[in-house]
Amino acid sequence: MTTRKRMPRAERERQMLEVAEAVFAERGYAAASMDEIAEQVGVSKPMLYEYFHSKEGLLLACIAASRAQLRTATEEAVAGATSAEDALRRGLHAFFVYIREHQQAWSLLRNEMVLIGTSASEEIEATRRQQTDLIAKLMAGLLDVGSPLRVEAAAEIVVGACERLAIWCEQHDEVTPERATEYAMAVLWSGLRERAQ
């Protein structure tokens, strides 16, 4: 008799998150069911609850995983930047590549209106805050933007503008991450160029 080898917990959790992200993106949070997710993963529903405690807990874990991936992608992209312009271009490109390659994760982040009032909306805002903080830190080091308040305002503008552009890009498959980056740079860098150190 052959015994089935147990999957390591981290690998099983990653598998659960991938399936859950796909189901949430396809059906929406309200219509998604733990039964369907468990079935697609090939585990029992109680096991899903053991890992994540609730459907909302599973959603929060999906969003947190996406946030960590986005942060890593952005930080790695700007690590070798040679100037403020290069850093902005690399960071924007990393963001647009991420949303193109992780459309299900992006779907969860952009459909926040149905999640308002839940912990998930707080997680989504934490993702924005993460990107704003990263951009503000970069600006403070590479640009003469002025007071901390002004730096934070500029970072918020970059995040907000890129979020709206990303939503627009979904309606235009022909807009590649490279093209989206150029569109964003044309508007954003023109306002920041004079402050480059």
Side-chain angles (χ1 to χ4, degrees):
M1 181 174 137
T2 338
T3 55
R4 210 169 98 187
K5 189 177 175 188
R6 284 175 50 102
M7 187 180 285
R9 183 177 175 93
E11 192 177 329
R12 173 68 73 198
E13 187 172 316
R14 187 168 44 254
Q15 182 187 38
M16 290 174 175
L17 290 173
E18 285 173 8
V19 169
E21 184 180 276
V23 172
F24 288 141
E26 181 185 338
R27 303 211 186 292
Y29 174 69
S33 79
M34 293 292 268
D35 287 314
E36 181 182 4
I37 294 167
E39 185 180 325
Q40 286 191 29
V41 175
V43 298
S44 67
K45 189 161 103 172
M47 182 180 270
L48 267 184
Y49 280 99
E50 180 187 324
Y51 276 67
F52 302 104
H53 310 294
S54 66
K55 185 166 89 165
E56 187 175 342
L58 180 54
L59 177 66
L60 294 176
C62 287
I63 294 170
S66 296
R67 183 171 69 233
Q69 290 169 349
L70 178 58
R71 181 176 184 94
T72 299
T74 310
E75 285 179 335
E76 287 176 357
V78 300
T82 56
S83 66
E85 182 179 9
D86 187 37
L88 181 60
R89 184 180 307 281
R90 287 172 180 237
L92 292 173
H93 186 255
F95 171 72
F96 291 117
V97 166
Y98 178 84
I99 64 165
R100 174 65 67 100
E101 293 179 354
H102 300 87
Q103 290 179 359
Q104 293 171 340
W106 171 241
S107 175
L108 292 180
L109 296 175
R110 75 166 158 63
N111 288 322
E112 71 177 296
M113 290 311 289
V114 296
L115 303 170
I116 291 198
T118 69
S119 300
S121 66
E122 294 168 16
E123 279 292 318
I124 291 168
E125 186 53 34
T127 302
R128 283 191 189 102
R129 180 85 254 146
Q130 163 191 287
Q131 295 306 108
T132 302
D133 291 347
L134 187 61
I135 292 166
K137 183 178 174 187
L138 208 57
M139 285 181 169
L142 295 171
L143 296 169
D144 181 18
V145 184
S147 72
L149 197 61
R150 191 178 182 112
V151 170
E152 190 176 336
E156 290 284 353
I157 290 166
V158 171
V159 169
C162 290
E163 194 172 310
R164 290 302 308 163
L165 182 58
I167 291 168
W168 176 82
C169 285
E170 288 182 280
Q171 301 159 27
H172 300 277
D173 285 340
E174 71 275 18
V175 179
T176 63
E178 293 72 23
R179 202 161 155 196
T181 300
E182 288 310 313
Y183 289 162
M185 284 296 292
V187 173
L188 297 170
W189 183 245
S190 64
L192 294 169
R193 182 187 295 117
E194 66 187 37
R195 296 180 177 278
Q197 294 175 0

